[in-house]
């Protein structure tokens, strides 16, 4: 498998994205459960099908571009394959030297965001630290571990040690990256509305901001058509005040993620099981939508 990854890593993005688009549609056609979840998530979001339909191919492109993203030589810079919108927001936040938290949903090429930030703003002494879950497949772990540790980019496992690593980075004025629409393990999240439906949502992102006083920005990597590359968009984030409860903070962040997803629904990972229960949690713990809104102060 490693040989296949290395072989595909040499392909141009144009071919990888073409292959991935086809694979995305084949997966959608072959898997009834994936297809139903995809359609159900789009319906919950209240978006027209025509706007979300391109995400079927985009999901395949996300997989196909992975070898290039992970195994591209470290000295091969993104260069012309990348353009920025809002980079000045990162520059201003870093100038304050109070740490920076970057949040991105499963939208577009989220892997490119960390690499782009590392290449432009970071170095070995002041890297961007990204939270990740170790690969479940034993053969994949060495690839993931080696490929994500690029110049200016450090990784922190989704463990207590990883959380401490991220807190240290913020207190040293460095940058960290998180995907807050990832379902956390039991006990590490709260139920908060996501497109109007209760979703178990991580509290880590808000806690890091509240505990360290770090700046907060939103970022996402748009996959450009025809394998042209990527556009990284940086946007202001809502304020996460210290006095916000975990439920209120999670609802605030979810609303920001919704706003970003509505910008490019054709590149969101609608097949992701966002509304699943965390392992070991009683299903009765998931409140009804009205109850969830009341708990987060939306119906005061």
């Amino acid at each position: 498998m490693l040989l296949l990854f290395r072989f595909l890593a040499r392909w141009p993005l144009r071919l990888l994205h073409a292959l991935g688009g086809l694979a995305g549609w084949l997966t959608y056609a072959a898997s009834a459960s994936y297809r139903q979840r995809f359609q159900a998530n789009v319906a919950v979001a209240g978006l027209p099908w025509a706007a979300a339909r391109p995400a079927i191919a985009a999901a395949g492109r996300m997989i196909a571009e992975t070898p290039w993203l992970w195994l591209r030589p470290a000295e091969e810079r993104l260069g012309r394959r990348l353009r920025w919108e809002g980079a000045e927001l990162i520059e201003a936040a870093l100038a304050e030297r109070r740490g920076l938290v970057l949040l991105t949903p499963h939208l577009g090429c989220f892997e490119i965001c960390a690499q782009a930030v590392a290449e432009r703003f970071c170095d070995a002494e002041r890297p961007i630290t990204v939270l990740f879950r170790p690969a479940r497949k034993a053969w994949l772990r060495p690839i993931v571990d080696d490929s994500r540790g690029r110049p200016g980019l450090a990784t922190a496992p989704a463990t207590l040690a990883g959380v401490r690593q991220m807190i240290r980075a913020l207190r040293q004025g460095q940058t960290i990256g998180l995907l807050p629409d990832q379902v956390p393990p039991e006990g590490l999240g709260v139920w908060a509305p996501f497109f109007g439906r209760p979703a178990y949502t991580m509290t880590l992102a808000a806690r890091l901001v509240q505990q360290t006083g770090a700046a907060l920005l939103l970022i996402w990597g748009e996959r450009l058509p025809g394998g042209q590359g990527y556009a990284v968009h940086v946007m202001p984030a809502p304020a996460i005040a210290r006095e916000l409860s975990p439920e209120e903070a999670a609802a605030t962040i979810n609303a920001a993620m919704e706003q970003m997803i509505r910008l490019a629904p054709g590149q969101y990972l609608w097949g992701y099981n966002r509304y699943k229960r965390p392992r070991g949690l009683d299903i009765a713990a998931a409140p009804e939508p009205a109850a969830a809104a009341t708990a987060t102060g939306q119906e005061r």
Side-chain angles (χ1 to χ4, degrees):
M1 186 60 70
L2 178 57
L3 291 177
L4 176 60
F5 264 57
R6 287 175 174 167
F7 173 67
L8 292 175
R10 299 172 183 171
W11 286 28
L13 274 177
R14 179 176 56 83
L15 292 180
L16 289 173
H17 284 173
L19 177 65
L22 176 61
W25 273 103
L26 290 175
T27 301
Y28 182 83
S31 175
S33 60
Y34 173 74
R35 187 166 60 249
Q36 291 167 2
R37 182 167 61 245
F38 189 109
Q39 295 173 355
N41 287 344
V42 173
V44 166
L47 293 168
W49 176 248
R53 185 174 179 271
I56 296 172
R61 295 185 182 112
M62 180 193 70
I63 300 299
E65 69 194 359
T66 299
W68 183 83
L69 290 166
W70 286 4
L71 299 181
R72 189 179 76 258
E75 64 275 8
E76 184 180 332
R77 298 176 64 85
L78 294 170
R80 296 181 180 178
R81 299 187 186 94
L82 185 73
R83 72 168 188 249
W84 282 88
E85 293 186 11
E88 67 277 3
L89 296 175
I90 295 181
E91 293 173 354
L94 293 177
E96 297 179 2
R97 296 187 177 277
R98 59 190 177 101
L100 172 61
V101 177
L102 295 173
L103 300 182
T104 182
H106 287 81
L107 179 66
C109 181
F110 42 89
E111 290 265 0
I112 206 68
C113 294
Q115 291 191 16
V117 171
E119 186 174 290
R120 178 161 179 168
F121 298 101
C122 303
D123 54 35
E125 294 184 357
R126 300 181 66 82
I128 175 175
T129 301
V130 180
L131 188 71
F132 80 104
R133 290 181 179 176
R136 295 180 181 178
K137 302 291 186 180
W139 63 267
L140 191 57
R141 289 172 195 158
I143 302 176
V144 174
D145 294 345
D146 293 344
S147 60
R148 285 184 168 172
R150 304 181 70 84
L153 197 161
T155 57
T159 62
L160 181 57
V163 172
R164 289 172 177 164
Q165 179 182 344
M166 301 187 91
I167 291 175
R168 286 195 302 269
L170 289 175
R171 288 178 174 166
Q172 293 170 5
Q174 298 176 16
T175 305
I176 68 167
L178 292 167
L179 278 78
D181 62 339
Q182 210 165 26
V183 179
E186 178 184 358
L188 298 180
V190 294
W191 292 98
F194 185 67
F195 287 115
R197 180 179 174 184
Y200 198 64
T201 304
M202 72 162 60
T203 57
L204 177 61
R207 285 194 294 111
L208 288 172
V209 173
Q210 291 171 322
Q211 292 178 12
T212 67
L216 179 66
L217 291 173
L218 308 178
I219 187 171
W220 72 282
E222 178 186 4
R223 189 179 295 107
L224 300 177
Q228 299 175 57
Y230 307 90
V232 174
H233 304 267
V234 185
M235 297 174 288
I240 304 294
R242 289 181 181 272
E243 59 269 18
L244 287 183
S245 69
E247 291 79 11
E248 290 171 328
T252 299
I253 290 177
N254 278 355
M257 296 302 103
E258 291 177 20
Q259 182 182 7
M260 297 174 71
I261 293 165
R262 291 184 188 278
L263 294 175
Q267 293 199 23
Y268 183 61
L269 201 62
W270 294 106
Y272 178 60
N273 194 2
R274 180 65 184 91
Y275 301 103
K276 68 181 178 181
R277 293 182 295 114
R279 184 175 299 175
L281 190 67
D282 187 348
I283 193 170
E288 295 299 320
T294 301
T296 55
Q298 301 298 312
E299 295 183 356
R300 293 178 179 173

